[in-house]
């Protein structure tokens, strides 16, 4: 990949709010180049979205996340794709990964309450034709998400002026 | 009572930074741009190795010159980075930070009256350490028009029959200047011609933003005329671990080792174990830090240009050295007023030698958010001065 693209992506991955002018300065480029590369990478679906990492626990808003291991019976020619794509369609589902190990898919689900998520698993996910079994893990606390610490780090004890 | 003090030590000025530190310390809401150490934590894998070494009960002395394992890694690292081979058994000493290297080198090499050439602006300890070693410091004032590099002409002009050693502090604190191979070659020629030695302080060697760092020791005929000082403080964000090293020909290292042996014994053991991990597995972390510094550097240069604050583009360390001569104030006045009026701390250039007058050392070992806030305040201050 071109160096400038790599640099843009690496930067945006940590801070998607950086504006064109700022990116141009930090990456030693110019705004037009950055804008063109961004537009092109959006078109190519290299950049798939600009999301915000939110700690909902701090808002008082009820949110429950679960990580569900799913065993799936693969289909001739299609493997796991058809079932995975089907699971993706539910708005409750926030991520679907094909994984190695004891299970086939990892599905993350978000709901308002434990009950709501449980109902989704028993009512929607498990009954899917090729789903053999599921194991649900409710997420109790997020320590780190998307490479970002979700807890307060100790304040720096660096002295204010040193040679 | 008789005077308890040595005249030599009483005659040495305390570091000019100290005074500034005291002022800033009384201002808890000040934003500082005055720090000479990384804002990053030591990479976790390195810290973990330090913890693990304590858990394993590795709480004893190491051999005087340092852990064999670490010296071997240092040898490999220098071969890889500066293409100079040092024998881990005889030519590398692990020291308590790069600072100790400066001290033991000067003490091992100087006889009373020997002159040491010290380009300034530069780190605060070369001059007093020379005096403590009974040498005579001779300052070479570097010029902004040369981007604060040392030129062969400046070097030649400072040499006398008593000159023995040249201190070469690049990448430079406080100016951020680097010296490329092309810059070093004519200097090396003069050094050889006049039969001098070089104390090359390369503590910021990991932090260059144009070309990779070049050591004068790697130039033809220079290896045995050079002592290379480096360490873990800056590149690996390990200032508090107090770990550095000094390398050179055995004839000098074996004498330096005696001083180290009697004064220090050995560098901290758990720091040494942690440093092995730093050299083996931290290229990625170092690269990430370098990238972040480089982005901040570009940000500051851009902002200073917008403000109309003249400044040559520095390609090393984590400092920018803008010129404030246009405001009709000394560096100290400028820094003091900036602190009083906008609560931004930056170190006056004069803390690094008289020829730093008219300049300010701005450190970018801060997050971009902090820098934005500080630059906003600095911009306001500059505008007010011009009004």
């Amino acid at each position: 990949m071109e160096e400038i693209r790599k640099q843009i992506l690496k930067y945006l991955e940590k801070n998607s709010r950086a504006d064109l002018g700022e990116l141009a300065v930090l990456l030693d480029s110019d705004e037009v180049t950055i804008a063109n590369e961004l537009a092109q990478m959006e078109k190519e679906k290299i950049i798939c979205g600009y999301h915000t990492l939110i700690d909902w626990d701090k808002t008082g808003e009820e949110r429950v996340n679960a990580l569900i291991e799913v065993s799936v019976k693969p289909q001739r020619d299609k493997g796991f794709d058809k079932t995975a794509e089907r699971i993706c369609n539910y708005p409750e589902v926030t991520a679907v990964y094909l994984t190695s190990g004891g299970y086939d898919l990892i599905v993350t689900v978000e709901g308002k309450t434990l009950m709501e998520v449980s109902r989704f698993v028993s009512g929607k996910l498990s009954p899917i034709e090729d789903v053999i079994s599921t194991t649900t893990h409710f997420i109790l606390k997020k320590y780190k998400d998307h490479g970002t610490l979700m807890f307060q780090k100790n304040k720096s004890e660096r002295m204010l002026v040193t040679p | 009572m008789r005077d308890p003090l040595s005249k030599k030590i009483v005659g040495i000025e305390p570091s000019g930074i100290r005074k500034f530190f005291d002022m800033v310390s009384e201002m808890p809401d000040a934003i500082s741009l005055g720090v000479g150490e990384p804002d990053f934590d030591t990479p976790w894998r390195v810290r973990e190795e330090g913890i693990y070494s304590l858990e394993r009960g590795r709480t004893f002395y190491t051999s005087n010159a340092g852990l064999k394992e670490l010296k071997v890694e240092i040898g490999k690292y220098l071969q890889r980075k500066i293409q100079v081979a040092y024998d881990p058994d005889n030519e590398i000493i692990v020291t308590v930070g790069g600072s100790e290297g400066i001290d033991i080198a000067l003490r091992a090499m100087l006889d009373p009256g020997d002159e040491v050439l010290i380009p300034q602006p530069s780190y605060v300890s070369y001059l007093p350490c020379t005096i403590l070693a009974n040498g005579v410091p001779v300052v070479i004032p570097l010029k902004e028009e040369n981007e604060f590099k040392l030129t062969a002409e400046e070097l030649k002009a400072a040499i006398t029959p008593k000159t023995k050693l040249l201190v070469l502090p690049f990448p430079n604190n406080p100016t951020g200047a680097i010296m490329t191979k092309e810059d070093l070659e004519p200097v090396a020629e003069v050094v050889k011609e006049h039969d001098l030695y070089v104390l090359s302080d390369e503590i910021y060697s990991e932090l260059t933003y144009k070309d990779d760092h070049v050591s004068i020791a790697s130039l033809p005929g220079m290896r045995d005329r050079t002592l290379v000082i480096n360490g873990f403080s800056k590149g690996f964000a390990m200032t508090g671990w107090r770990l550095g090293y000094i390398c050179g020909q055995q004839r000098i290292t074996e004498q330096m080792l005696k001083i180290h042996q009697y004064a220090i014994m050995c560098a901290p053991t758990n720091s040494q174990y942690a440093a092995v991990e730093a050299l083996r597995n931290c290229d990625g972390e170092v690269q990430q830090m370098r990238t972040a510094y480089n982005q901040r550097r570009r940000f500051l240069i851009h902002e200073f240009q917008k403000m109309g604050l003249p400044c040559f583009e520095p390609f090393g360390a984590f400092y920018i050295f803008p010129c404030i001569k246009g405001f009709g104030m000394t560096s100290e006045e400028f820094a003091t007023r900036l602190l009083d009026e906008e609560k931004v701390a930056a170190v006056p250039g004069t803390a690094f030698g008289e020829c730093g007058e008219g300049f300010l050392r701005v450190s970018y070992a801060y997050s971009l958010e902090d820098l934005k806030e500080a630059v906003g305040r600095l911009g306001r201050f500059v505008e007010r001065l011009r009004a």
Side-chain angles (χ1 to χ4, degrees):
Chain A
M1 194 194 310
E2 268 181 79
E3 186 57 29
I4 183 73
R5 281 194 165 196
K6 208 155 72 184
Q7 287 187 23
I8 294 173
L9 291 176
K10 271 191 177 167
Y11 197 85
L12 288 184
E13 194 178 22
K14 295 257 186 271
N15 177 13
S16 62
R17 288 193 70 198
D19 64 40
L20 290 179
E22 183 173 323
L23 276 173
V25 171
L26 298 183
L27 306 183
D28 196 22
S29 183
D30 57 88
E31 291 189 29
V32 178
T33 308
I34 304 263
N36 288 341
E37 290 293 346
L38 280 177
Q40 194 56 35
M41 288 194 286
E42 285 167 19
K43 216 165 120 192
E44 292 171 27
K45 289 284 172 214
I46 292 172
I47 295 178
C48 309
Y50 300 89
H51 299 93
T52 305
L53 186 60
I54 299 168
D55 188 348
W56 285 103
D57 290 350
K58 295 214 174 77
T59 65
E61 188 88 2
E62 290 280 331
R63 294 258 174 156
V64 175
N65 291 89
L67 194 151
I68 303 157
E69 297 168 324
V70 185
S71 270
V72 177
K73 183 163 157 272
Q75 293 176 349
R76 179 179 284 275
D77 298 335
K78 300 237 170 54
F80 297 99
D81 291 357
K82 198 169 165 218
T83 309
E85 283 164 16
R86 184 167 201 152
I87 294 172
C88 286
N89 286 328
Y90 291 100
E92 297 90 331
V93 171
T94 50
V96 178
Y97 308 110
L98 180 64
T99 58
S100 61
Y103 290 82
D104 303 306
L105 299 177
I106 301 262
V107 175
T108 64
V109 172
E110 186 172 87
K112 282 201 166 55
T113 59
L114 286 181
M115 194 48 97
E116 191 181 301
V117 173
S118 308
R119 268 205 299 267
F120 170 77
V121 175
S122 58
K124 304 287 185 196
L125 192 59
S126 297
I128 293 176
E129 205 177 339
D130 293 313
V131 168
I132 299 163
S133 72
T134 64
T135 308
T136 302
H137 306 272
F138 284 103
I139 289 167
L140 305 178
K141 183 172 178 180
K142 288 183 186 172
Y143 294 97
K144 190 176 184 183
D145 204 1
H146 289 77
T148 303
L149 291 184
M150 304 298 275
F151 57 91
Q152 202 77 39
K153 271 182 72 175
N154 293 334
K155 211 169 159 270
S156 168
E157 288 169 21
R158 196 162 57 139
M159 292 195 296
L160 287 170
V161 178
T162 48
Chain B
M1 242 195 298
R2 33 197 300 211
D3 185 351
L5 300 173
S6 125
K7 288 186 185 59
K8 189 164 74 179
I9 189 64
V10 171
I12 291 175
E13 292 279 321
S15 165
I17 283 183
R18 185 72 220 176
K19 194 176 115 195
F20 214 70
F21 173 79
D22 293 338
M23 280 166 63
V24 179
S25 298
E26 281 163 27
M27 264 189 218
D29 50 346
I31 296 189
S32 179
L33 300 176
V35 166
E37 63 178 322
D39 56 316
F40 297 103
D41 292 334
T42 304
W44 174 247
R45 62 173 84 246
V46 176
R47 286 189 274 160
E48 199 186 31
E49 206 58 44
I51 295 165
Y52 182 67
S53 84
L54 293 177
E55 281 176 353
R56 275 281 307 267
R58 289 171 158 163
T59 55
F60 302 102
Y61 297 128
T62 67
S63 68
N64 293 131
L67 272 181
K68 173 80 188 249
E69 210 180 340
L70 175 59
K71 289 186 294 176
V72 167
E73 289 301 328
I74 291 169
K76 284 193 216 162
Y77 171 84
L78 290 176
Q79 180 66 56
R80 183 159 63 94
K81 292 283 179 176
I82 61 170
Q83 293 81 49
V84 183
Y86 291 105
D87 176 1
D89 289 327
N90 301 311
E91 297 184 316
I92 299 173
I93 302 174
V94 180
T95 55
V96 179
S99 311
E100 190 210 334
I102 298 169
D103 181 38
I104 63 174
L106 293 166
R107 283 205 269 167
M109 293 183 74
L110 299 182
D111 277 321
D114 285 344
E115 290 181 357
V116 178
L117 301 179
I118 303 172
Q120 285 186 341
S122 59
Y123 184 61
V124 296
S125 81
Y126 307 121
L127 199 142
C129 282
T130 299
I131 296 173
L132 288 173
N134 296 319
V136 178
V138 175
V139 170
I140 304 180
L142 300 180
K143 298 194 187 76
E144 192 194 18
E145 66 208 56
N146 300 327
E147 301 192 332
F148 293 104
K149 294 168 184 210
L150 174 68
T151 66
E153 291 68 37
E154 289 169 326
L155 173 58
K156 239 184 259 172
I159 293 173
T160 75
K162 289 186 177 157
T163 308
K164 179 156 192 192
L165 186 64
L166 165 68
V167 176
L168 201 61
F170 295 94
N172 183 272
N173 171 13
T175 65
I178 58 168
M179 284 186 67
T180 62
K181 188 157 179 263
E182 292 68 36
D183 299 323
L184 290 171
E185 275 163 348
V187 168
E189 286 313 311
V190 177
V191 166
K192 284 186 279 188
E193 193 185 320
H194 291 83
D195 196 14
L196 308 182
Y197 289 90
V198 177
L199 181 59
S200 186
D201 185 349
E202 305 178 12
I203 191 74
Y204 288 95
S205 65
E206 282 288 354
L207 304 179
T208 63
Y209 311 107
K210 197 161 67 171
D211 307 307
D212 283 344
H213 169 72
V214 177
S215 171
I216 196 165
S218 68
L219 300 184
M222 286 304 294
R223 181 192 180 278
D224 288 347
R225 289 191 175 278
T226 307
L227 289 175
V228 170
I229 291 179
N230 209 324
F232 299 88
S233 294
K234 314 296 179 175
F236 297 89
M238 293 178 66
T239 43
W241 299 75
R242 304 313 303 125
L243 205 67
Y245 48 92
I246 185 160
C247 312
Q249 57 152 309
Q250 187 180 352
R251 197 163 159 220
I252 310 175
T253 51
E254 65 190 16
Q255 299 305 320
M256 290 195 296
L257 188 58
K258 288 198 290 196
I259 307 171
H260 176 77
Q261 192 169 66
Y262 292 130
I264 300 287
M265 183 74 102
C266 73
T269 300
N270 75 315
S271 298
Q272 293 193 54
Y273 278 103
V276 170
E277 177 67 13
L279 291 179
R280 280 187 187 154
N281 293 314
C282 281
D283 282 4
E285 281 92 337
V286 170
Q287 177 59 43
Q288 268 177 25
M289 291 191 269
R290 188 185 302 122
T291 302
Y293 288 132
N294 195 10
Q295 290 173 348
R296 301 163 183 183
R297 182 185 72 92
R298 290 172 181 150
F299 170 77
L300 280 185
I301 291 167
H302 179 78
E303 293 297 317
F304 286 0
Q305 271 167 1
K306 275 199 330 208
M307 258 178 238
L309 212 54
C311 173
F312 83 100
E313 184 173 357
F315 288 105
F318 36 63
Y319 308 105
I320 293 195
F321 207 56
C323 174
I324 48 101
K325 287 176 182 163
F327 298 98
M329 276 184 263
T330 65
S331 295
E332 197 164 324
E333 282 167 348
F334 189 95
T336 310
R337 276 187 62 183
L338 178 61
L339 182 60
D340 281 344
E341 295 175 28
E342 290 289 346
K343 297 198 178 357
V344 175
V347 181
T350 40
F352 306 94
E354 277 170 33
C355 59
E357 184 58 87
F359 298 89
L360 206 59
R361 186 190 74 172
V362 173
S363 162
Y364 50 89
Y366 297 91
S367 71
L368 204 54
E369 289 62 47
D370 287 350
L371 289 178
K372 282 179 184 169
E373 172 66 26
V375 156
R377 296 187 190 191
L378 180 62
R380 224 159 45 205
F381 178 69
V382 164
E383 229 163 80
R384 222 170 29 243
L385 290 181
R386 287 197 179 116

